[in-house]
Amino acid sequence: AHNCPITALTATSLGSVAVTTGARDGSVVVWDMKTKPPGAARRIAAHAQQVTGLVHVNETMLATCGYDGKVSSSNSGFW
């Protein structure tokens, strides 16, 4: 879960059913939507500042951007 406001959200059904959220503190959480209630499958310290955008590029890659001026990607089994 996030401890501050969520600032970005994306969803995918590629290979898995997941919703990914980004927050003001720069964190990204991938939520497993198959569990009831949905649970945080992975938490990523993606940015030094607020996350402004998220996109599931394909089944294994998530790209994010933030106020820190960086674009970040994760492809190490985040769902």
Side-chain angles (χ1 to χ4, degrees):
H2 292 286
N3 295 323
C4 59
I6 292 172
T7 57
L9 180 142
T10 189
T12 185
S13 60
L14 297 170
S16 177
V17 178
V19 169
T20 304
T21 54
R24 186 179 289 169
D25 64 0
S27 66
V28 171
V29 174
V30 180
W31 300 89
D32 180 0
M33 301 306 287
K34 291 180 182 177
T35 64
K36 301 293 181 206
R42 182 166 177 206
R43 184 179 177 89
I44 305 163
H47 294 276
Q49 296 177 357
Q50 178 175 319
V51 176
T52 57
L54 304 162
V55 64
H56 291 274
V57 178
N58 57 36
E59 291 182 14
T60 61
M61 182 177 286
L62 172 72
T64 66
C65 58
Y67 274 157
D68 58 5
K70 296 181 181 179
V71 174
S72 179
S73 65
S74 175
N75 63 356
S76 56
F78 59 89
W79 52 46

